[in-house]
Amino acid sequence: MVVSRVEWIAPVLAVHFRPIDKSLFDFEEGTYVMLNCPFISQAEWHPFTISSARGDLFTGDRVSLETGEKVIPIPPPTNAPNHIKKKWKKYCPVSLYSKLNNDQTYDTLLDHHETAYHDFVSVHIKVHERDDGTETWTKKLKDYLEMMAPHRKYPFHFTRRDTRGELQIGRQFGPDTKQILRIDGPHAAPAMHYKHYGTVMLIGAGIGMTPCASVLTAMLKYRWRLNFKPEILHFYWVVAHPDVRAFEWFIHRIAELEYELLKQRHSGAVAPRNYAEIHIFVTRPPKDCPNDLSMRSASTITEFSNDAKSDPKPVFTANQLFAEMLYPQTPAANMTAAMEQPKHATNRFQDTWIWNGRPVWSDIFSSVRNQRQHRDIGVCFCGTPFIGKDLAAMCKRFSSVDDDCIFTLHKENF
């Protein structure tokens, strides 16, 4: 197992790793692994849900070996000789692509051997601090990875030399010559059943959204391009307002996936039958919204760039989504009425809706039932037991063999 990339958006550490032999790590979205860091303890193992999709491990982006930044292929100059065009394999970092023009020299582009595919599995780890000053396992892991970092600025991008001396993505051993991380798993979990349904209601509460991040990535980025089920996705995330800043990484993920879906729809890669709704319910928000909009900005979120000049522009940014979550204005109790006039909704960001308050599950299940395209509807939930109890009651109440509608609950309590 090699560690390839580490990201930090306080208080969450994202660790990307890759098996030496990918064929031996057969995982599905929604599953989890046990992590061990021998540098900290040979015997201490901790469970973490996989936050990436299966497609990330087998069709990851091509990146620069030096910086880890995503790159895109650049066609040869139109006036280049044929022998140059046949051998041409040049790449440009995404951050520089908008500055590239026909008059600019191509000498600054990366050659093929200066890039590689970043295939990975990721986990997102909340780093805890104790009041008494003693370090937790998660804090020790963060400090250990920072100690090995090639520079002190996140994200960290780890590389190694193979037996031929060539640079490869990922580092396997630490300065103590022990493996940086040991993995046990993957282990099965209820959310993995999502793929058996034509319609799925995916529900996460608090940290229970981590398996949802994996499923969401799989569907919006990979499965629909391949015409895989489910065809219809209803995603509901319940998060307390004091915890919103701890999930900046996921807010950024939603913005990236929405933009990826927009590009796929623009190119015709996704069929019209594929439908997504993302609902975020922010509980216990402040009553007053500050006039200074700068107070509503995320401090660590960065925006993404177009991969190609023909791509459509994003409908919204991660910062806009984050700002609405900090001070949501539309009550969740008005959800049904607000969605009847989507063009006038101020809380809508493409397929994502932000609501103030807890979801009214009876209204939600009634709406999904009335608009259903499939008999069997999967309800995959990760979160607190009391929400799981409500969902079990809703599945029973709105299921009917006579009406050809069955809600099936798969739940995992945190």
Side-chain angles (χ1 to χ4, degrees), residues 319-339:
N319 269 321
Q320 289 174 318
L321 192 62
F322 183 82
E324 183 67 22
M325 289 182 66
L326 286 182
Y327 298 95
Q329 299 300 299
T330 308
N334 297 347
M335 179 176 174
T336 302
M339 293 189 67

Side-chain angles (χ1 to χ4, degrees), residues 28 31 46 109 145 163 191 194 227 294 347 359 407:
E28 297 182 22
T31 56
H46 294 269
L109 297 179
L145 294 172
T163 54
Y194 80 96
N227 292 318
S294 64
N347 63 324
F407 290 90

Side-chain angles (χ1 to χ4, degrees), residues 201 203 361 365 379 381 386-396 409:
M201 297 174 67
I203 304 164
W361 291 119
F365 272 77
V379 181
F381 169 68
F386 76 89
I387 295 181
K389 184 178 179 181
D390 290 343
L391 294 176
M394 291 296 107
C395 287
K396 183 177 180 180
L409 178 62

Side-chain angles (χ1 to χ4, degrees), residues 99-119:
K99 302 174 184 177
L100 196 66
N101 57 62
N102 295 332
D103 299 327
Q104 185 174 354
T105 177
Y106 284 85
D107 294 341
T108 57
L109 297 179
L110 300 176
D111 289 322
H112 185 76
H113 71 273
E114 296 177 295
T115 67
Y117 285 113
H118 179 213
D119 299 331

Side-chain angles (χ1 to χ4, degrees), residues 243-303:
D243 297 330
V244 167
R245 289 192 181 275
F247 292 107
E248 284 190 22
W249 71 269
F250 186 53
I251 297 168
H252 199 179
R253 173 80 64 92
I254 290 175
E256 287 180 330
L257 291 175
E258 282 273 45
Y259 183 48
E260 182 67 29
L261 182 59
L262 179 67
K263 290 190 294 183
Q264 291 183 24
R265 286 171 174 164
H266 181 74
S267 66
V270 170
R273 67 177 178 275
N274 295 125
Y275 175 79
E277 273 184 15
I278 298 174
H279 297 278
I280 303 175
F281 298 89
V282 182
T283 63
R284 293 181 286 151
K287 294 182 179 180
D288 299 322
C289 175
N291 294 325
D292 183 4
L293 295 181
S294 64
M295 293 178 63
R296 303 175 64 176
S297 298
S299 58
T300 52
I301 284 181
T302 55
E303 305 306 334

Side-chain angles (χ1 to χ4, degrees), residues 193-202 215 219 224 228-236 273-277 364-365 367-380 404-410:
H193 297 290
Y194 80 96
K195 64 183 181 298
H196 300 305
Y197 297 92
T199 298
V200 65
M201 297 174 67
L202 184 66
V215 174
M219 291 186 62
W224 284 354
F228 288 172
K229 295 193 302 183
E231 293 179 356
I232 298 173
L233 167 68
H234 301 275
F235 174 48
Y236 309 92
R273 67 177 178 275
N274 295 125
Y275 175 79
E277 273 184 15
I364 291 172
F365 272 77
S367 175
V368 172
R369 174 190 167 107
N370 293 337
Q371 299 177 37
R372 70 186 183 277
Q373 301 294 316
H374 304 93
R375 174 185 182 274
D376 295 302
I377 300 171
V379 181
C380 298
D404 226 21
C405 180
I406 303 296
F407 290 90
T408 303
L409 178 62
H410 305 271

